[in-house]
Structures are given as structure tokens and as C-alpha cells.
């Protein structure tokens, strides 16, 4: 069954919490696909995602065409359908600001391109880094960000600066008319309402682990 | 006012959603403290955290002693109190498995130690990496993980392997009796119920940005 039908799917009807889970399902389905699986039951998919089966069935009701009673879901078709509805069925051109250790690691991270996020330019304000080649890209002066974003038709920005430079990096991205920012710097940034920001905060997660372990030992 | 009183705080009464926000408040408060601030009003703290003021006041009611009507909160005291209740008022000894680009970046990331998570050993199964020095640590063979964890009294594990090796890394950590795992590998892992796992998944966040931008353009 071709995913063409999905053009009629009204993505705006999908609740925000479902979106988060759909992103997880895509990841798990892609792993299953790479391992050579063709079909998966909702029970097994639920288990692999640590979500309960009724939740999965409800979430995937938006993609009802891809479920076959007694068989399960066709993995490749389901991936295409979810990706299309999430807007990740095409490449997102991405720039990175802050070529420190973490920035370098992300530039060398093969999964970005594999998953449809192509980092096509890297910026830093450190004169010792400008001109350096990292993972096939020449590090550019942050002052050239706006010019480059327009030239290359970039959609997303990643911030990997130290916390005290995150806001300045965000300002550059906003001025360049970027509408989505993934911020790895451990600092909050302020942007206009029309710009979406997601935070990747390791410490949030570490604090949560520390808290739950502390609590479980107290009990 | 000394944070000593907080010993009586019953952390187990704090709801899980509050914990997530407390971790955020600590981060924002630490930034404010570094910038030389001593006191902050709940309105300004709410704004800095992008949370509404009534939510902040409710969350911080657990730390009521640190609020002063008409003044706000004493930043340093509030940080200590929250950290104590989250179990992050002492150093958490941490090991890292998977010394690739991302693993190296984390080993060189100064914020971990600053925020109380000290990465004291690094492991990899690649014979070409074993013995190498990274950020002052000798990379050890993953087979030695259990022995080292016991010797060094480690509390937490970080996984930065490729996705297909994440489960094996998790098994090593569980066998070594580690109860908290931060997983950066884009793969789900299965662990016993008593082990807490947090996932740092960049792609989740990127998918979410892509979806929201796509949706905002459709409108």
C-alpha cells in the first residue's frame, strides 16, 4: 500500500504528546527495519518502545491503513507514513554554531545525515577555529551566518556554544530567519514566539537519575 | 537561613513532574548566581524558566523557608535546598562506556564536574582505543568495568556507544550493580526494574522541531 494516501492526513490533528511518541516509534521501527524485519505486531512494538499496547494502537490509528489485523504493521510503510506526517520525509538543512568538543562530535556524528538532518555549515567566533576543516566543513565566522543561511536555504540551527554565548548564537540564528533551534548549551535562550526551541539538557536527566536513586535508597 | 532545616523535607512527596522543573530551576538559579545575583522574585524566575509564576510558587512551596514576601528567593540558599532534596548536593561518581566522538566530547566537558557528576573511568571494547589517554583518563577494556565500578564505588553510567552496542554496554553496567544509566545511544535498552534509565535523544528533539515548523507553515 503506497504512503500516497497519507497526503490526506491532517497532521495538525495529532496531539503534541503523540508527536513525542511518534518520534520514538520511528526510531524503534528504523532499528527493526535495519535488522531485516518486515512486519511487527502492536504488542511487540509496544514492548520495544516501553509503551503500553493500547497506547500504540491509539497513536497509530492516525496511520490505520498500515495495520493488518492478525499480522501487525508493515514496518517500511509505517515509517514512511509517520515521517511524512512529522515533516521528516525530506532533508532538513541545518547549521551548527559553536565548534567546541561537543560541536565537533556532532559534526562527526553519522546519524544526523542518516536521519535526514544534514549539517551543511559550522560557525564559531574564535579566530583560531575559523578556517579549520571539521568533518569536511570549513569553520566560518559567526558574522557570516545570516549570509550563508540565505545562500544555502537552511531550515534549522544547532547551538553548541558555552552557556554564556548561547543567547548571542540564538540572536544570530533568529536574525537569519531560522525558525527552529536545538540548544545543547546548558542555558535558557529567549527568542520570538514564531521560533521553536528544543533543549538537549544532559543535566536535567542526570539530576533526575540522582533523585530517583536517592529516593529508592531512602525507601 | 541555613539549609539545615531541609533535612526534614520529605523528597518522596515531590511529584515527578515537579522534579523535572526543579532541575530546570537549579540550572537557571545557578546561572543567576554566577552573574552575581543574590535574590530573585518568583515573577522573574518564572520568566527566566519559561514557566508561569503560579507554577513556580507552587513548586517552590516545598522550600517555603527560602521565599521572603515582597523580596523573592535567596538564590544560594534555594539552590542548596533544591540540590539537597534532589540528592545532588554531593558528587556522583560516573563511568562512561563508548569512547567515540561523543564520548570524547563528554569526557572533555567541564560542566559535568562543575555540576557534581564526576566521570572517573572510561571504557571501550576497541583494542585500538584501550590504553589511550582521554581528558586525563586511560581508556579501559569494557571487560574490566565491573571490577573498576566496585573498586571506585561508582553510582552512575553513561552510554555513548553506537546504537547496536548500547544493550551490551547496559548489560555490563547492570552486572556491575549500577542503578542509574544515561543513554546517549539512539537505541532503546532493556534493564531490570530497579535500574533507572534516562535517554538523551537528539533526534526526538529534531523531529519535534521539524514537525512544528512544517505545521506552522501549513497554517
Amino acid at each position: 500500500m503506497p504512503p500516497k494516501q497519507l497526503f490526506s492526513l491532517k497532521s495538525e490533528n495529532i496531539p503534541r504528546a503523540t508527536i513525542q511518541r511518534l518520534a520514538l516509534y520511528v526510531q524503534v521501527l528504523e532499528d527493526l527495519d535495519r535488522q531485516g524485519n518486515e512486519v511487527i505486531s502492536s504488542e511487540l512494538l509496544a514492548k520495544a518502545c516501553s509503551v503500553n499496547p493500547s497506547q500504540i494502537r491509539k497513536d497509530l490509528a492516525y496511520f490505520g491503513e498500515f495495520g493488518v489485523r492478525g499480522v501487525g504493521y508493515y514496518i517500511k510503510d509505517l515509517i514512511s507514513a509517520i515521517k511524512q506526517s512529522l515533516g521528516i520525509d525530506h532533508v532538513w538543512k541545518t547549521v551548527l554554531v559553536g565548534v567546541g568538543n561537543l560541536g565537533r562530535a556532532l559534526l562527526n556524528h553519522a546519524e544526523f545525515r542518516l536521519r535526514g538532518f544534514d549539517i551543511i555549515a559550522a560557525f564559531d567566533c574564535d579566530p583560531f577555529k575559523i578556517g579549520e576543516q571539521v568533518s569536511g566543513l570549513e569553520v566560518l565566522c559567526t558574522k557570516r551566518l545570516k549570509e550563508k543561511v540565505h545562500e544555502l536555504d537552511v531550515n534549522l540551527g544547532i547551538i553548541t556554544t558555552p552557556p554564556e554565548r548561547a543567547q548571542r548564537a540564538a540572536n544570530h540564528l533568529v536574525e537569519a530567519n531560522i525558525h527552529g533551534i536545538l540548544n545543547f548549551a546548558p542555558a535558557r535562550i529567549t527568542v520570538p514566539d514564531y521560533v521553536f526551541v528544543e533543549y538537549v539538557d544532559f543535566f536535567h536527566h542526570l539530576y533526575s537519575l540522582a533523585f530517583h536513586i536517592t529516593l529508592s535508597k531512602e525507601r
Side-chain angles (χ1 to χ4, degrees), chain A residues 27-59:
Chain A
Q27 182 189 297
V28 170
L29 288 164
E30 284 182 333
D31 288 345
L32 290 164
D33 180 45
R34 268 186 256 183
Q35 290 157 21
N37 299 283
E38 288 186 10
V39 177
I40 187 152
S41 69
S42 54
E43 283 74 19
L44 283 179
L45 182 58
K47 207 177 162 202
C49 298
S50 317
V51 169
N52 75 59
S54 66
Q55 181 73 68
I56 287 235
R57 276 189 292 264
K58 204 178 146 197
D59 290 341

Side-chain angles (χ1 to χ4, degrees), chain A residues 143-214:
Chain A
K143 285 182 184 154
R144 295 185 57 195
L145 194 144
K146 190 173 174 179
E147 161 207 338
K148 275 287 166 187
V149 161
H150 287 236
E151 184 188 319
L152 301 169
D153 195 21
V154 170
N155 316 110
L156 291 176
I158 297 178
I159 298 178
T160 44
T161 63
E164 63 277 15
R165 293 208 208 111
Q167 185 60 54
R168 217 191 308 164
N171 296 347
H172 278 292
L173 292 167
V174 170
E175 270 171 41
N177 202 30
I178 295 241
H179 285 210
I181 297 175
L182 185 63
N183 181 20
F184 283 83
R188 305 299 287 184
I189 55 175
T190 307
V191 296
D193 282 347
Y194 60 85
V195 178
F196 299 97
V197 180
E198 291 276 331
Y199 293 89
V200 179
D201 189 336
F202 319 152
F203 299 101
H204 246 76
H205 294 289
L206 284 167
Y207 288 172
S208 177
L209 286 176
F211 175 76
H212 288 291
I213 294 173
T214 304

Side-chain angles (χ1 to χ4, degrees), chain A residues 4 7 11 19 21 47 64 76 86 106 116 125-126 136 144 152 155 169 172 187 200-201:
Chain A
K4 217 184 270 177
F7 281 114
S11 328
I19 301 305
R21 287 190 300 269
K47 207 177 162 202
K76 273 193 200 301
L86 288 179
L106 298 186
C125 59
D126 178 349
R144 295 185 57 195
L152 301 169
N155 316 110
H172 278 292
V200 179
D201 189 336

Side-chain angles (χ1 to χ4, degrees), chain A residues 6 9-30 45 49 51 55-64 73 78-88 115:
Chain A
L6 260 286
L9 181 80
K10 285 275 174 284
S11 328
E12 54 198 295
N13 296 331
I14 306 180
R16 199 193 149 86
T18 308
I19 301 305
Q20 304 286 344
R21 287 190 300 269
L22 287 177
L24 168 64
Y25 303 160
V26 168
Q27 182 189 297
V28 170
L29 288 164
E30 284 182 333
L45 182 58
C49 298
V51 169
Q55 181 73 68
I56 287 235
R57 276 189 292 264
K58 204 178 146 197
D59 290 341
L60 295 183
Y62 295 98
F63 311 93
Y73 298 95
L78 186 54
I79 293 172
S80 310
I82 299 179
K83 281 192 156 183
Q84 193 184 359
S85 74
L86 288 179
I88 49 173
R115 291 183 187 252

